[in-house]
Coordinates of all heavy atoms in Angstrom, one line a residue:
M37 N 86.0 95.3 -67.2 CA 87.0 94.4 -66.6 C 88.2 94.3 -67.6 O 88.0 94.1 -68.8 CB 86.3 93.0 -66.5 CG 87.3 92.0 -66.0 SD 86.4 90.5 -65.5 CE 85.7 91.1 -64.0
K38 N 89.3 94.4 -67.0 CA 90.6 94.3 -67.8 C 91.3 93.0 -67.6 O 91.5 92.6 -66.5 CB 91.5 95.5 -67.4 CG 92.7 95.6 -68.3 CD 93.6 96.7 -67.8 CE 94.9 96.7 -68.6 NZ 95.7 97.8 -68.2
V39 N 91.6 92.3 -68.7 CA 92.3 91.1 -68.7 C 93.8 91.4 -69.1 O 94.0 92.0 -70.1 CB 91.7 90.0 -69.6 CG1 92.5 88.8 -69.5 CG2 90.3 89.8 -69.1
S40 N 94.7 91.0 -68.3 CA 96.1 91.3 -68.7 C 96.9 89.9 -68.8 O 96.5 88.9 -68.2 CB 96.8 92.2 -67.7 OG 96.8 91.5 -66.4
F41 N 97.9 90.0 -69.6 CA 98.8 88.8 -69.8 C 100.1 89.1 -69.2 O 100.6 90.3 -69.3 CB 98.9 88.5 -71.3 CG 97.6 88.0 -71.9 CD1 96.7 88.8 -72.5 CD2 97.3 86.6 -71.8 CE1 95.6 88.3 -73.1 CE2 96.2 86.1 -72.3 CZ 95.3 87.0 -73.0
P42 N 100.8 88.1 -68.7 CA 102.1 88.4 -68.1 C 103.1 88.6 -69.1 O 103.0 88.2 -70.3 CB 102.4 87.0 -67.3 CG 101.6 86.0 -68.1 CD 100.4 86.7 -68.6
I43 N 104.1 89.4 -68.7 CA 105.3 89.6 -69.6 C 106.1 88.3 -69.5 O 106.5 87.9 -68.4 CB 106.1 90.8 -69.1 CG1 105.2 92.1 -69.2 CG2 107.4 91.0 -69.9 CD1 105.9 93.3 -68.6
L44 N 106.5 87.8 -70.6 CA 107.2 86.6 -70.7 C 108.7 86.8 -70.9 O 109.1 87.7 -71.6 CB 106.7 85.7 -71.9 CG 105.2 85.3 -71.8 CD1 104.8 84.6 -73.1 CD2 104.9 84.5 -70.6
N45 N 109.5 86.0 -70.2 CA 111.0 86.1 -70.4 C 111.3 85.0 -71.4 O 111.4 83.8 -71.0 CB 111.7 85.9 -69.1 CG 111.4 87.0 -68.1 OD1 111.5 88.2 -68.5 ND2 111.0 86.6 -66.9
L46 N 111.5 85.4 -72.6 CA 111.8 84.4 -73.7 C 113.2 84.4 -74.1 O 113.9 85.4 -74.1 CB 111.0 84.7 -74.9 CG 109.4 84.9 -74.8 CD1 108.8 85.4 -76.1 CD2 108.8 83.6 -74.3
D47 N 113.7 83.2 -74.3 CA 115.0 83.0 -74.9 C 114.8 82.3 -76.3 O 114.1 81.4 -76.4 CB 115.9 82.1 -74.1 CG 116.3 82.7 -72.8 OD1 116.7 83.9 -72.8 OD2 116.3 82.1 -71.7
F48 N 115.5 82.9 -77.3 CA 115.3 82.3 -78.6 C 116.5 81.5 -79.1 O 117.6 81.7 -78.6 CB 115.1 83.5 -79.7 CG 113.9 84.3 -79.4 CD1 114.0 85.5 -78.7 CD2 112.7 83.9 -79.9 CE1 112.8 86.3 -78.5 CE2 111.5 84.6 -79.7 CZ 111.6 85.8 -79.0
V49 N 116.2 80.5 -79.9 CA 117.2 79.7 -80.5 C 117.3 80.1 -82.0 O 116.3 80.2 -82.6 CB 116.9 78.2 -80.4 CG1 117.9 77.3 -81.1 CG2 116.7 77.8 -78.9
Y50 N 118.5 80.4 -82.4 CA 118.7 80.9 -83.8 C 119.4 79.8 -84.6 O 120.2 79.0 -84.1 CB 119.6 82.1 -83.8 CG 118.9 83.3 -83.0 CD1 119.1 83.4 -81.6 CD2 118.1 84.2 -83.7 CE1 118.5 84.5 -81.0 CE2 117.5 85.2 -83.0 CZ 117.7 85.4 -81.6 OH 117.1 86.4 -81.0
D51 N 119.1 79.8 -85.9 CA 119.9 79.0 -86.8 C 121.2 79.6 -87.2 O 121.5 80.7 -86.8 CB 119.0 78.6 -88.1 CG 118.7 79.8 -89.0 OD1 119.3 80.9 -88.8 OD2 117.8 79.6 -89.8
K52 N 121.9 79.0 -88.1 CA 123.2 79.5 -88.5 C 123.2 80.9 -89.2 O 124.1 81.6 -89.2 CB 124.0 78.5 -89.4 CG 124.4 77.3 -88.6 CD 125.0 76.2 -89.6 CE 125.3 75.0 -88.8 NZ 125.9 73.9 -89.6
K53 N 122.0 81.2 -89.8 CA 121.8 82.4 -90.5 C 121.3 83.5 -89.6 O 121.0 84.6 -90.1 CB 120.9 82.2 -91.7 CG 121.5 81.3 -92.8 CD 120.5 81.2 -94.0 CE 121.1 80.2 -95.0 NZ 120.2 80.1 -96.2
G54 N 121.0 83.2 -88.4 CA 120.5 84.2 -87.5 C 119.0 84.3 -87.4 O 118.5 85.3 -86.8
H55 N 118.3 83.4 -88.0 CA 116.8 83.4 -88.0 C 116.3 82.7 -86.7 O 116.9 81.6 -86.3 CB 116.2 82.7 -89.2 CG 116.6 83.4 -90.5 ND1 117.6 82.8 -91.3 CD2 116.3 84.6 -91.0 CE1 117.7 83.6 -92.4 NE2 116.9 84.7 -92.2
K56 N 115.3 83.2 -86.1 CA 114.7 82.6 -84.9 C 114.1 81.3 -85.3 O 113.3 81.2 -86.3 CB 113.7 83.5 -84.3 CG 114.3 84.7 -83.6 CD 113.1 85.6 -83.1 CE 113.7 86.9 -82.5 NZ 112.6 87.8 -82.1
K57 N 114.4 80.2 -84.6 CA 113.8 78.9 -85.0 C 112.9 78.3 -83.9 O 112.0 77.6 -84.1 CB 115.0 77.9 -85.2 CG 115.7 78.2 -86.5 CD 114.7 78.0 -87.7 CE 115.3 78.2 -89.0 NZ 114.3 78.1 -90.1
S58 N 113.2 78.7 -82.6 CA 112.4 78.1 -81.5 C 112.5 79.1 -80.3 O 113.4 80.0 -80.3 CB 112.8 76.7 -81.2 OG 114.1 76.5 -81.1
V59 N 111.7 78.8 -79.3 CA 111.7 79.6 -78.1 C 111.9 78.7 -76.9 O 111.3 77.6 -76.8 CB 110.3 80.3 -78.0 CG1 110.2 81.1 -76.7 CG2 110.1 81.2 -79.1
I60 N 112.6 79.2 -75.9 CA 112.8 78.5 -74.6 C 112.0 79.4 -73.6 O 112.2 80.6 -73.5 CB 114.3 78.4 -74.2 CG1 115.0 77.6 -75.3 CG2 114.4 77.8 -72.8 CD1 116.5 77.6 -75.1
L61 N 111.1 78.7 -72.9 CA 110.2 79.4 -72.0 C 110.2 78.7 -70.7 O 110.1 77.4 -70.6 CB 108.8 79.4 -72.6 CG 107.7 80.1 -71.8 CD1 108.0 81.6 -71.7 CD2 106.4 79.9 -72.6
D62 N 110.3 79.4 -69.6 CA 110.3 78.8 -68.2 C 109.0 78.0 -68.1 O 107.9 78.5 -68.5 CB 110.3 79.9 -67.2 CG 110.2 79.4 -65.8 OD1 111.3 79.0 -65.3 OD2 109.1 79.5 -65.2
I63 N 109.0 76.9 -67.5 CA 107.9 76.0 -67.4 C 106.7 76.6 -66.7 O 105.5 76.5 -67.1 CB 108.2 74.6 -66.7 CG1 107.1 73.6 -66.9 CG2 108.6 74.8 -65.3 CD1 106.8 73.2 -68.3
K64 N 107.0 77.4 -65.6 CA 105.9 78.1 -64.9 C 105.2 79.2 -65.8 O 104.0 79.3 -65.8 CB 106.5 78.8 -63.6 CG 105.5 79.6 -62.8 CD 104.4 78.7 -62.3 CE 103.5 79.6 -61.4 NZ 102.1 79.3 -61.5
E65 N 106.0 79.9 -66.5 CA 105.5 80.9 -67.5 C 104.6 80.2 -68.6 O 103.6 80.6 -69.0 CB 106.6 81.7 -68.1 CG 107.2 82.7 -67.2 CD 108.3 83.5 -67.8 OE1 108.9 83.1 -68.9 OE2 108.7 84.5 -67.3
F66 N 105.1 79.0 -69.0 CA 104.4 78.2 -70.0 C 103.0 77.8 -69.4 O 102.0 77.9 -70.1 CB 105.2 77.0 -70.5 CG 104.4 76.1 -71.3 CD1 104.2 76.4 -72.7 CD2 103.9 74.9 -70.8 CE1 103.5 75.5 -73.5 CE2 103.2 74.0 -71.7 CZ 103.0 74.3 -73.0
E67 N 103.0 77.3 -68.2 CA 101.8 76.8 -67.6 C 100.8 78.0 -67.4 O 99.6 77.8 -67.6 CB 102.1 76.1 -66.3 CG 102.8 74.8 -66.5 CD 103.4 74.2 -65.2 OE1 103.4 74.9 -64.1 OE2 103.7 73.0 -65.2
D68 N 101.3 79.1 -67.0 CA 100.5 80.3 -66.8 C 99.9 80.7 -68.1 O 98.7 81.1 -68.2 CB 101.3 81.4 -66.2 CG 101.6 81.2 -64.7 OD1 101.0 80.3 -64.1 OD2 102.5 81.9 -64.2
L69 N 100.7 80.7 -69.2 CA 100.2 81.1 -70.5 C 99.1 80.1 -71.0 O 98.1 80.6 -71.5 CB 101.4 81.1 -71.5 CG 101.1 81.5 -72.9 CD1 100.6 82.9 -73.0 CD2 102.4 81.4 -73.8
V70 N 99.3 78.8 -70.8 CA 98.3 77.9 -71.2 C 97.0 78.1 -70.4 O 95.9 78.1 -71.0 CB 98.8 76.4 -71.1 CG1 97.7 75.4 -71.2 CG2 99.9 76.1 -72.1
E71 N 97.2 78.3 -69.1 CA 96.0 78.5 -68.3 C 95.2 79.8 -68.7 O 94.0 79.8 -68.8 CB 96.4 78.7 -66.8 CG 95.2 78.8 -65.9 CD 95.7 78.9 -64.4 OE1 96.7 78.4 -64.1 OE2 94.9 79.5 -63.6
G72 N 96.0 80.8 -69.1 CA 95.3 82.1 -69.5 C 94.6 81.8 -70.9 O 93.5 82.4 -71.1
L73 N 95.2 81.1 -71.7 CA 94.5 80.8 -73.0 C 93.3 79.9 -72.8 O 92.3 80.1 -73.5 CB 95.5 80.0 -74.0 CG 96.7 80.9 -74.5 CD1 97.7 80.1 -75.2 CD2 96.1 82.0 -75.4
E74 N 93.3 79.0 -71.9 CA 92.2 78.2 -71.6 C 91.1 79.0 -71.0 O 89.9 78.9 -71.4 CB 92.5 77.1 -70.6 CG 93.4 76.0 -71.2 CD 94.0 75.0 -70.2 OE1 93.9 75.3 -68.9 OE2 94.4 73.9 -70.6
D75 N 91.4 80.0 -70.1 CA 90.4 80.9 -69.6 C 89.8 81.7 -70.7 O 88.6 82.0 -70.7 CB 91.0 81.8 -68.5 CG 91.4 81.0 -67.2 OD1 90.9 79.9 -67.0 OD2 92.1 81.6 -66.4
F76 N 90.6 82.2 -71.6 CA 90.2 83.1 -72.7 C 89.2 82.2 -73.5 O 88.1 82.7 -73.9 CB 91.3 83.6 -73.5 CG 90.9 84.4 -74.7 CD1 90.5 85.7 -74.5 CD2 91.0 83.8 -76.0 CE1 90.1 86.4 -75.6 CE2 90.6 84.6 -77.1 CZ 90.2 85.9 -76.9
Y77 N 89.5 81.0 -73.8 CA 88.7 80.1 -74.6 C 87.3 79.9 -73.9 O 86.3 80.0 -74.6 CB 89.4 78.8 -74.8 CG 88.7 77.8 -75.6 CD1 88.6 77.9 -77.0 CD2 88.0 76.7 -75.0 CE1 87.9 77.0 -77.8 CE2 87.4 75.8 -75.8 CZ 87.3 75.9 -77.2 OH 86.6 75.0 -77.9
D78 N 87.4 79.7 -72.6 CA 86.1 79.6 -71.9 C 85.2 80.8 -72.0 O 84.0 80.7 -72.1 CB 86.4 79.3 -70.4 CG 87.0 77.9 -70.2 OD1 86.9 77.0 -71.1 OD2 87.6 77.7 -69.1
I79 N 85.9 82.0 -71.9 CA 85.1 83.3 -71.9 C 84.5 83.4 -73.3 O 83.3 83.8 -73.5 CB 86.1 84.4 -71.6 CG1 86.4 84.4 -70.1 CG2 85.4 85.8 -72.0 CD1 87.5 85.4 -69.8
V80 N 85.3 83.1 -74.4 CA 84.7 83.2 -75.7 C 83.6 82.2 -75.9 O 82.5 82.6 -76.5 CB 85.8 82.9 -76.8 CG1 85.3 82.7 -78.2 CG2 86.9 84.0 -76.8
N81 N 83.7 81.0 -75.4 CA 82.6 80.1 -75.6 C 81.4 80.5 -74.8 O 80.2 80.3 -75.2 CB 83.0 78.7 -75.1 CG 83.9 78.0 -76.2 OD1 83.7 78.3 -77.4 ND2 84.8 77.1 -75.8
A82 N 81.6 81.1 -73.6 CA 80.4 81.6 -72.8 C 79.7 82.7 -73.5 O 78.5 82.8 -73.6 CB 80.9 82.0 -71.4
Y83 N 80.5 83.6 -74.1 CA 79.9 84.7 -74.9 C 79.1 84.2 -76.1 O 78.0 84.6 -76.4 CB 81.1 85.6 -75.4 CG 80.6 86.8 -76.1 CD1 80.0 87.9 -75.5 CD2 80.7 86.9 -77.5 CE1 79.5 89.0 -76.2 CE2 80.2 88.0 -78.2 CZ 79.6 89.0 -77.6 OH 79.2 90.1 -78.3
K84 N 79.7 83.2 -76.8 CA 79.0 82.6 -77.9 C 77.7 82.0 -77.5 O 76.6 82.1 -78.1 CB 79.9 81.6 -78.7 CG 81.0 82.2 -79.5 CD 81.8 81.1 -80.2 CE 82.9 81.7 -81.0 NZ 83.7 80.6 -81.6
A85 N 77.7 81.2 -76.4 CA 76.5 80.6 -75.9 C 75.5 81.6 -75.5 O 74.3 81.4 -75.7 CB 76.9 79.7 -74.7
K86 N 75.9 82.7 -74.9 CA 75.0 83.7 -74.5 C 74.3 84.3 -75.8 O 73.1 84.6 -75.8 CB 75.7 84.8 -73.7 CG 74.8 86.0 -73.3 CD 75.5 87.0 -72.5 CE 74.5 88.2 -72.2 NZ 75.2 89.3 -71.6
E87 N 75.1 84.6 -76.8 CA 74.5 85.2 -78.0 C 73.6 84.2 -78.7 O 72.6 84.6 -79.3 CB 75.6 85.6 -78.9 CG 76.3 86.9 -78.5 CD 77.0 87.6 -79.6 OE1 77.2 87.0 -80.7 OE2 77.3 88.8 -79.4
E88 N 73.8 82.9 -78.6 CA 73.0 81.9 -79.3 C 71.8 81.6 -78.5 O 70.8 81.0 -79.0 CB 73.8 80.7 -79.6 CG 74.9 80.9 -80.6 CD 75.9 79.7 -80.8 OE1 75.7 78.7 -80.1 OE2 76.8 79.8 -81.6
S89 N 71.8 81.9 -77.2 CA 70.7 81.5 -76.3 C 69.5 82.5 -76.5 O 69.7 83.7 -76.7 CB 71.2 81.5 -74.9 OG 70.1 81.3 -74.0
S90 N 68.3 81.9 -76.5 CA 67.1 82.8 -76.5 C 66.8 83.4 -75.2 O 66.0 84.3 -75.1 CB 65.9 82.0 -77.1 OG 65.7 80.9 -76.2
S91 N 67.3 82.8 -74.1 CA 67.1 83.3 -72.8 C 68.4 83.5 -72.1 O 69.3 82.7 -72.3 CB 66.2 82.4 -71.9 OG 66.8 81.2 -71.7
E92 N 68.5 84.5 -71.2 CA 69.8 84.8 -70.5 C 69.9 83.9 -69.3 O 69.2 84.1 -68.3 CB 69.9 86.2 -70.2 CG 71.2 86.6 -69.6 CD 71.4 88.1 -69.4 OE1 70.9 88.9 -70.2 OE2 72.0 88.4 -68.4
A93 N 70.8 82.9 -69.3 CA 71.0 82.1 -68.2 C 72.1 82.6 -67.2 O 72.1 82.3 -66.1 CB 71.4 80.7 -68.7
F94 N 73.0 83.4 -67.7 CA 74.1 84.0 -67.0 C 74.6 85.2 -67.7 O 74.4 85.3 -68.9 CB 75.2 82.9 -66.8 CG 75.6 82.3 -68.0 CD1 76.6 82.9 -68.8 CD2 75.1 81.1 -68.5 CE1 77.0 82.3 -70.0 CE2 75.4 80.5 -69.7 CZ 76.4 81.1 -70.5
S95 N 75.3 86.0 -67.0 CA 75.9 87.2 -67.6 C 77.3 86.9 -67.9 O 78.0 86.1 -67.2 CB 75.8 88.4 -66.7 OG 76.7 88.3 -65.6
L96 N 77.8 87.5 -69.0 CA 79.2 87.3 -69.4 C 80.1 87.8 -68.2 O 81.1 87.2 -67.9 CB 79.5 88.0 -70.7 CG 81.0 88.0 -71.2 CD1 81.4 86.6 -71.4 CD2 81.1 88.8 -72.4
E97 N 79.8 88.9 -67.6 CA 80.6 89.5 -66.6 C 80.7 88.5 -65.4 O 81.8 88.4 -64.8 CB 80.0 90.8 -66.1 CG 80.1 91.9 -67.1 CD 79.0 91.8 -68.2 OE1 78.0 91.1 -68.1 OE2 79.3 92.4 -69.3
S98 N 79.6 87.8 -65.1 CA 79.7 86.9 -63.9 C 80.6 85.7 -64.3 O 81.3 85.2 -63.4 CB 78.3 86.4 -63.5 OG 77.7 85.6 -64.5
V99 N 80.5 85.3 -65.5 CA 81.4 84.2 -65.9 C 82.9 84.6 -65.8 O 83.7 83.8 -65.3 CB 81.1 83.7 -67.4 CG1 82.1 82.7 -67.9 CG2 79.7 83.1 -67.4
I100 N 83.2 85.8 -66.3 CA 84.6 86.3 -66.3 C 85.0 86.4 -64.9 O 86.1 86.0 -64.5 CB 84.7 87.6 -67.0 CG1 84.4 87.4 -68.5 CG2 86.0 88.2 -66.8 CD1 84.3 88.7 -69.3
E101 N 84.2 87.0 -64.0 CA 84.6 87.1 -62.6 C 84.8 85.8 -61.9 O 85.7 85.6 -61.2 CB 83.5 87.9 -61.9 CG 83.5 89.4 -62.2 CD 82.3 90.1 -61.6 OE1 81.6 89.6 -60.7 OE2 82.1 91.3 -62.0
E102 N 83.9 84.8 -62.2 CA 84.1 83.5 -61.6 C 85.4 82.8 -62.1 O 86.1 82.3 -61.3 CB 82.9 82.6 -62.0 CG 82.9 81.3 -61.3 CD 81.7 80.4 -61.6 OE1 80.6 81.0 -61.8 OE2 81.8 79.2 -61.6
I103 N 85.7 82.9 -63.3 CA 87.0 82.3 -63.9 C 88.2 83.0 -63.2 O 89.1 82.4 -62.8 CB 87.0 82.4 -65.4 CG1 86.0 81.5 -66.0 CG2 88.4 82.1 -65.9 CD1 85.8 81.7 -67.5
L104 N 88.2 84.3 -63.2 CA 89.3 85.1 -62.6 C 89.4 84.8 -61.1 O 90.6 84.7 -60.6 CB 89.2 86.6 -62.9 CG 89.3 87.0 -64.3 CD1 89.0 88.5 -64.5 CD2 90.6 86.6 -65.0
L105 N 88.3 84.7 -60.4 CA 88.4 84.4 -59.0 C 88.9 83.0 -58.7 O 89.8 82.8 -57.9 CB 87.0 84.5 -58.4 CG 86.9 84.3 -56.9 CD1 87.7 85.3 -56.1 CD2 85.4 84.3 -56.4
D106 N 88.4 82.0 -59.5 CA 88.9 80.7 -59.4 C 90.4 80.6 -59.7 O 91.2 79.9 -59.0 CB 88.2 79.8 -60.4 CG 88.6 78.3 -60.3 OD1 88.5 77.7 -59.2 OD2 89.1 77.8 -61.3
R107 N 90.9 81.3 -60.7 CA 92.3 81.4 -61.1 C 93.1 82.0 -60.0 O 94.2 81.5 -59.7 CB 92.4 82.2 -62.4 CG 93.7 82.1 -63.0 CD 93.6 82.8 -64.4 NE 95.0 82.9 -64.9 CZ 95.3 83.7 -65.9 NH1 94.4 84.5 -66.4 NH2 96.5 83.7 -66.3
K108 N 92.6 83.0 -59.3 CA 93.3 83.7 -58.3 C 93.5 82.8 -57.0 O 94.5 82.8 -56.3 CB 92.6 85.0 -57.9 CG 93.3 85.8 -56.8 CD 92.5 87.1 -56.6 CE 93.2 87.9 -55.5 NZ 92.5 89.1 -55.2
N109 N 92.5 81.9 -56.8 CA 92.5 81.1 -55.6 C 93.3 79.8 -55.8 O 93.4 79.0 -54.9 CB 91.0 80.7 -55.2 CG 90.3 81.9 -54.7 OD1 90.8 82.8 -54.1 ND2 89.0 81.9 -54.9
K110 N 93.9 79.6 -57.0 CA 94.7 78.4 -57.2 C 96.0 78.5 -56.7 O 96.6 79.5 -56.5 CB 94.7 78.1 -58.7 CG 93.5 77.5 -59.3 CD 93.6 77.1 -60.7 CE 92.3 76.5 -61.2 NZ 92.4 76.1 -62.5

């Protein structure tokens, strides 16, 4: 299973010396990015729980598929 991240359209704010100081990001792109990070965090926690568990309650693949399906249906 391949997880991909969207290409972001970023605008940078520079200081007087030309150094990047901050980023301007479209709100929808920001929300999508946060949602993707939350999904990734859930997958990592599910994987950790599976490794720490003495019995297999669920497969990592099924958790990933469920998260991605839920995300697609939103």
Side-chain angles (χ1 to χ4, degrees):
M37 176 168 290
K38 183 179 178 182
V39 178
S40 62
F41 290 94
I43 297 173
L44 301 174
N45 297 310
L46 305 175
D47 290 317
F48 296 98
V49 177
Y50 298 88
D51 66 11
K52 291 178 183 178
K53 295 182 180 180
H55 300 106
K56 292 178 185 175
K57 288 297 180 182
S58 45
V59 176
I60 299 172
L61 180 64
D62 179 79
I63 190 67
K64 177 66 174 137
E65 289 179 340
F66 173 76
E67 290 168 347
D68 290 345
L69 183 61
V70 169
E71 183 177 334
L73 291 171
E74 289 170 345
D75 290 346
F76 179 74
Y77 181 75
D78 291 341
I79 291 168
V80 168
N81 282 331
Y83 181 77
K84 286 180 181 179
K86 180 180 177 185
E87 287 203 342
E88 293 173 359
S89 174
S90 59
S91 64
E92 186 174 324
F94 51 85
S95 71
L96 176 60
E97 291 78 19
S98 67
V99 171
I100 293 171
E101 287 175 13
E102 185 176 331
I103 290 170
L104 293 176
L105 182 62
D106 181 59
R107 192 171 170 198
K108 184 177 180 181
N109 291 329
K110 286 185 178 179

